[in-house]
Amino acid sequence: MPVVNVALDRLKKFLPGVKVEKALDMLPFVGLDIEGIDGDVVRVEYNPNRPDFSSDYGIARALAGLVGKETGMPKFRLSGKSGLAVKVDRSVKKVRPFVVALAAKNGKLDDETIKQLISMQEDLHNGVGRRRKKASIGMHNLDAIKFPVRYTTASSDYSFVPLAGSKEQTVEQILQETETGRVYGHLLAGAEKYPVIIDSAGTTLSLPPVINGEATKVDEKCKNLFVEVTATDKKAADDALAVIAVTLFDAGFQIKTVTIDDNGKKLETPDAATRKMSVGAGYVNEILGLNLTAKEIAECLKKSRLDAKATGNKIACTIPRYRTDITHEIDLAEEVAIGYGIYRMEPNFPVSPTSGQRSALSSYFSAIRQTMTGLGMLESFNFSLTSREVQYSLCGRPEYDILAVDGTKSIEHEVLRSSLVPSLLQSLSRNVHEEYPQRLFEIGKTFHRHDDGGKIVERWQVAAVVAHGEAGYTEIKSAMQALLSSGFGVSAITTKASDDPLYIKGRCAKISIDKGVVGTIGEITPLAIDNFKLRVPVAAFEIDLSALLSL
């Protein structure tokens, strides 16, 4: 989790009239953890889904609402157009196609503010920018730049003085000899030309996403800043720039737009447009277990630094551009909880006239676990949401009727799994340093689209894998037969040769009982074994419990 250093003297300045002790007590109730206190500096840990917390300005902004110092949407406005432009060359389309920018004028920088901006920049790189792959940020001394600037490409022998350098180096030397070049150079691997930003005088601003130029270095003397974000994902660039814009505004700068001239198509950035969402009072109260009126909910949202207005039982909410984490009604319910005060909420036991008892399904699963552990297997637990890569491409499985998350914030949790075996292969890949043999099983849900293409069908399934130098079809079949016979009393089990892209052709079969086909079994393909970087053969089976138990 990322950490921000918050100096207590700055916190006092940001929240005049509010006792520091009260502000620190409120930190956990906006989703922040105090990692430690070093003298007059508090180390605050935050969740990456709140990139606006990547500086002490963002933390103070949230606290101001919770303590009632400032409520509603924070003050922010663009001070018009800067008259500055970035001209985009067609050659960048094959490398890093997007760029957005802003101008921040008439501000003052001190040592601590510069440290906060640098820390924010790196956190945005790692979070929104996915370690600079999706987006990377360059901050520059605007007064050292002659506009318009060009976003173009250069060959590997192009040279300039990199940040903190004293002499010119070629792009090739920067990628091989500098620390940032060695860390982020792989993002440009295979490129015939490299993205660069150059001003009208030939001064190099940056080699994105690797390093800035020394000529436009930011220091305490800078009063005007130029910020550019280059990206492979336009939304990531806009999201990062929105956080930077509101932070620089809070730091005392006037924010002006920059014209992005993409071969005649002109766009003013940053995008400061707010979003509208509405939520029902009943929904919020049901989620939180409260009994608030719509007007009270609107006041809670204002304390979470959103604008809100109650009309009847509906609350219309205005969300500032930098709040990229709010995408659904459930997010608004969370903001209500924060504004209401999580410290005010008390847990209650549900009223029930009956005592709890184990469900039949739980008993079935216990029997399966007992059988599988008796066979020397360890239970694995994996998320139902997984990556498209793990579920399909690494396994060589065709991407058919994929159930994907709309607007996912993580490529590791973008699709609902349709099979348990890929998750188990991923578990094996994370344990290649452990001793073999390795035997794992998992009981979990898989998700499928109904035959009519509409309704989503959930199925409980059990899968198992064995991995060691001699792992094969015979061993995994023996485990499968033991499970069906001991766990379910099934004796008539047949396996008929079949084809499945996850298994080796000729070493794969369908598992059938009197109820019909209930699963698959076989030896995992060399393709999947190589892709998951496994060192030994793997055999697996997967059984549909929904069919077996008529769930």
Side-chain angles (χ1 to χ4, degrees), residues 229-425:
V229 183
T230 61
T232 57
D233 183 285
K234 178 65 162 52
K235 184 180 183 302
D238 286 332
D239 288 350
L241 195 64
V243 174
I244 295 168
V246 72
T247 302
L248 290 175
F249 181 86
D250 286 352
F253 286 86
Q254 295 175 354
I255 310 302
K256 293 179 176 287
T257 63
V258 171
T259 302
I260 307 299
D261 186 350
D262 190 351
N263 298 286
K265 183 181 179 181
K266 295 184 179 181
L267 175 69
E268 292 292 324
T269 64
D271 173 17
T274 58
R275 290 178 289 125
K276 305 286 186 181
M277 286 182 67
S278 64
V279 65
Y283 174 82
V284 172
N285 286 320
E286 182 182 3
I287 293 293
L288 301 181
L290 298 174
N291 187 27
L292 302 176
T293 65
K295 187 176 180 180
E296 289 172 329
I297 290 172
E299 290 304 313
C300 292
L301 288 169
K302 288 178 182 178
K303 294 185 73 173
S304 289
R305 307 314 308 269
L306 309 175
D307 274 352
K309 183 178 180 180
T311 304
N313 286 322
K314 281 284 186 180
I315 303 94
C317 188
T318 304
I319 304 162
R321 179 62 183 82
Y322 71 88
R323 288 299 304 271
T324 58
D325 58 303
I326 299 178
T327 60
H328 188 272
E329 288 182 344
I330 194 69
D331 299 317
L332 292 180
E334 181 184 5
E335 296 303 314
V336 173
I338 292 171
Y340 175 80
I342 295 174
Y343 54 90
R344 296 173 57 192
M345 301 173 72
E346 296 182 0
N348 293 311
F349 286 102
V351 178
S352 175
T354 60
S355 59
Q357 64 180 16
R358 205 173 207 183
S359 68
L361 188 62
S362 178
S363 298
Y364 282 132
F365 291 168
S366 292
I368 294 171
R369 290 188 178 97
Q370 193 170 18
T371 301
M372 298 305 282
T373 54
L375 293 171
M377 293 192 171
L378 293 175
E379 186 170 9
S380 177
F381 296 90
N382 295 290
F383 293 116
S384 294
L385 278 174
T386 183
S387 74
R388 190 185 300 259
E389 182 181 43
V390 167
Q391 189 71 193
Y392 297 102
S393 61
L394 294 182
C395 296
R397 299 175 65 218
E399 297 188 7
Y400 177 72
D401 275 349
I402 293 177
L403 297 170
V405 176
D406 185 17
T408 179
K409 290 182 171 64
S410 169
I411 59 172
E412 295 179 356
H413 306 94
E414 61 180 341
V415 298
L416 287 167
R417 58 184 180 174
S418 57
S419 172
L420 303 184
V421 173
S423 297
L424 290 175
L425 294 177

Side-chain angles (χ1 to χ4, degrees), residues 88-376:
V88 183
D89 190 87
R90 295 183 188 277
S91 59
V92 300
K93 300 301 181 184
K94 295 181 180 179
V95 190
R96 202 170 182 82
F98 304 107
V99 62
V100 292
L102 64 77
K105 294 192 172 184
N106 303 319
K108 292 182 180 180
L109 293 175
D110 55 30
D111 181 62
E112 183 58 32
T113 299
I114 291 175
K115 288 180 180 178
Q116 288 290 325
L117 293 178
I118 292 173
S119 176
M120 174 185 67
Q121 180 180 9
E122 283 309 303
D123 282 357
L124 291 176
H125 278 158
N126 294 330
V128 177
R130 297 290 189 269
R131 296 181 179 86
R132 305 195 189 189
K133 181 178 181 180
K134 293 179 71 173
S136 63
I137 304 155
M139 294 190 183
H140 311 275
N141 178 4
L142 188 148
D143 295 327
I145 304 170
K146 185 173 178 59
F147 286 86
V149 302
R150 289 186 302 126
Y151 179 39
T152 184
T153 56
S155 58
S156 60
D157 58 0
Y158 178 83
S159 62
F160 66 98
V161 181
L163 187 64
S166 57
K167 62 179 181 179
E168 285 196 353
Q169 291 179 281
T170 65
V171 170
E172 185 175 6
Q173 289 173 325
I174 290 171
L175 297 180
Q176 294 178 357
E177 298 174 12
T178 67
E179 182 179 354
T180 53
R182 289 190 291 268
V183 173
Y184 298 107
H186 70 279
L187 298 175
L188 299 175
E192 297 179 1
K193 297 223 169 182
Y194 301 89
V196 290
I197 298 179
I198 308 169
D199 77 356
S200 297
T203 301
T204 303
L205 279 64
S206 67
L207 168 69
V210 179
I211 198 167
N212 285 353
E214 175 68 16
T216 58
K217 179 181 178 180
V218 173
D219 57 30
E220 293 180 33
K221 297 177 182 178
C222 295
K223 297 184 182 300
N224 303 301
L225 301 176
F226 173 68
V227 181
E228 41 83 6
V229 183
T230 61
T232 57
D233 183 285
K234 178 65 162 52
K235 184 180 183 302
D238 286 332
D239 288 350
L241 195 64
V243 174
I244 295 168
V246 72
T247 302
L248 290 175
F249 181 86
D250 286 352
F253 286 86
Q254 295 175 354
I255 310 302
K256 293 179 176 287
T257 63
V258 171
T259 302
I260 307 299
D261 186 350
D262 190 351
N263 298 286
K265 183 181 179 181
K266 295 184 179 181
L267 175 69
E268 292 292 324
T269 64
D271 173 17
T274 58
R275 290 178 289 125
K276 305 286 186 181
M277 286 182 67
S278 64
V279 65
Y283 174 82
V284 172
N285 286 320
E286 182 182 3
I287 293 293
L288 301 181
L290 298 174
N291 187 27
L292 302 176
T293 65
K295 187 176 180 180
E296 289 172 329
I297 290 172
E299 290 304 313
C300 292
L301 288 169
K302 288 178 182 178
K303 294 185 73 173
S304 289
R305 307 314 308 269
L306 309 175
D307 274 352
K309 183 178 180 180
T311 304
N313 286 322
K314 281 284 186 180
I315 303 94
C317 188
T318 304
I319 304 162
R321 179 62 183 82
Y322 71 88
R323 288 299 304 271
T324 58
D325 58 303
I326 299 178
T327 60
H328 188 272
E329 288 182 344
I330 194 69
D331 299 317
L332 292 180
E334 181 184 5
E335 296 303 314
V336 173
I338 292 171
Y340 175 80
I342 295 174
Y343 54 90
R344 296 173 57 192
M345 301 173 72
E346 296 182 0
N348 293 311
F349 286 102
V351 178
S352 175
T354 60
S355 59
Q357 64 180 16
R358 205 173 207 183
S359 68
L361 188 62
S362 178
S363 298
Y364 282 132
F365 291 168
S366 292
I368 294 171
R369 290 188 178 97
Q370 193 170 18
T371 301
M372 298 305 282
T373 54
L375 293 171

